[in-house]
Amino acid sequence: MSMRKKLDISAYLVVGPENTKGRPVVSIIKDAVEAGFTCVQIRSKVASARELIQLTQQASEAIAQIGKSDEVTLLVNDRLDVVLAARKQGIKVDGIHVGQSDIPVDVCREYLGQDSVIGLSARTHEMFEYIKTADVSQIDYFGVGPVHETMTKPDCGLDLDGKVVTRSFDEISELVRFSKIPVVVGGGVKLADIPPLAQTGAAGFFVVSAVSEADNPKQAAAELVNAWKQYAGII
Ligand code: 3NM
């Protein structure tokens, strides 16, 4: 694990231009951070490297303007090149979130250094085994899911036989017990899922659409944060 001072993944926004109903990504990020979200991951499968660097810069500046650079963790999904290029330009970005098929975490660690945050999504078909046995020395947290099928990422939870596998709250509790590092849970998460999810022992929840596609993203974000605060720790 990294030597970074503190990582709060309790309320974790994943966001990119394909999921904001046409609104600027940075305005969704501002709303979420002002409402108390503690982690932001920029994730886009359509944006170019230049666009991703620009989004990272806008996000970083917005978080700084709100005065939360020391509390809120800013990550980029999958794109080590984008994180490195952003840092080269003086943009404060805390690290990367990758999947098991992306760039290996030890390579990310080598390039990003000990103080960076590196998150990893565990693959569906080997999630339990992997979380139990993985070398977590280079990983700060696991992402697991989905809780429900989701239009945001229709292929998430796809097992080797092509079926979508969702995780019950009992399974999530088990994964959390197996894991040596914090676990953040998402995929189809809505406000009603927060109370049972908070009681699994997970370190946090992640959402895309529950905030970035809401009519009022700031209000939706505040409701999620408040629900988590109310129920987390009651196991
Ligand atoms: N990863 P929404 S589900 C980015 O299960 C992502 O690994 C998932 O979007 C996983 O909150 C997902 O709109 C998208 O359902 C979640």
Side-chain angles (χ1 to χ4, degrees):
M1 216 192 302
S2 83
M3 300 303 289
R4 199 171 167 277
K5 48 186 185 315
K6 154 180 155 308
L7 174 64
D8 184 345
I9 48 172
S10 59
Y12 185 140
L13 177 73
V14 181
V15 66
E18 50 268 64
N19 302 111
T20 64
K21 290 178 148 178
R23 297 169 291 199
V25 172
V26 69
S27 81
I28 305 287
I29 292 173
K30 268 187 202 159
D31 284 346
V33 169
E34 280 171 358
F37 267 61
T38 58
C39 186
V40 174
Q41 180 197 128
I42 295 175
R43 176 182 183 273
S44 175
K45 302 300 173 188
V46 299
S48 67
R50 295 285 180 101
E51 285 165 337
L52 285 167
I53 294 166
Q54 194 185 14
L55 283 175
T56 305
Q57 178 167 24
Q58 289 172 351
S60 185
E61 287 173 0
I63 293 166
Q65 248 168 31
I66 299 166
K68 290 197 173 176
S69 291
D70 291 339
E71 300 153 54
V72 172
T73 298
L74 176 61
L75 306 174
V76 175
N77 180 278
D78 194 12
R79 295 292 298 266
L80 182 59
D81 56 341
V82 168
V83 178
L84 291 171
R87 284 187 173 174
K88 194 88 178 163
Q89 293 179 23
I91 299 164
K92 184 187 171 297
V93 49
D94 298 295
I96 194 164
H97 182 94
V98 291
Q100 274 179 263
S101 311
D102 299 328
I103 297 182
V105 289
D106 52 346
V107 176
C108 293
R109 180 64 71 198
E110 194 178 329
Y111 278 93
L112 297 181
Q114 285 305 314
D115 290 345
S116 295
V117 172
I118 298 177
L120 180 81
S121 289
R123 240 186 238 133
T124 301
H125 71 273
E126 56 187 17
M127 193 176 285
F128 283 83
E129 192 55 28
Y130 186 80
I131 284 188
K132 239 185 193 172
T133 59
D135 171 4
V136 294
S137 59
Q138 304 304 333
I139 314 171
D140 292 280
Y141 70 88
F142 282 125
V144 309
V147 177
H148 307 289
E149 284 190 53
T150 172
M151 289 307 292
T152 309
K153 189 179 174 192
D155 67 344
C156 77
L158 218 53
D159 215 337
L160 290 180
D161 59 7
K163 280 204 312 268
V164 171
V165 179
T166 56
R167 301 294 168 194
S168 69
F169 296 111
D170 283 346
E171 285 177 305
I172 292 163
S173 298
E174 199 178 350
L175 285 166
V176 168
R177 279 200 305 276
F178 283 171
S179 179
K180 301 176 204 77
I181 53 176
V183 174
V184 65
V185 185
V189 167
K190 300 283 177 266
L191 184 59
D193 298 308
I194 298 298
L197 197 52
Q199 293 171 63
T200 61
F205 65 88
F206 71 83
V207 292
V208 180
S209 55
V211 169
S212 67
E213 292 180 15
D215 290 339
N216 184 335
K218 191 165 181 176
Q219 188 187 329
E223 286 170 0
L224 289 160
V225 167
N226 291 337
W228 182 268
K229 282 187 180 158
Q230 190 180 342
Y231 289 96
I234 312 171
I235 301 176

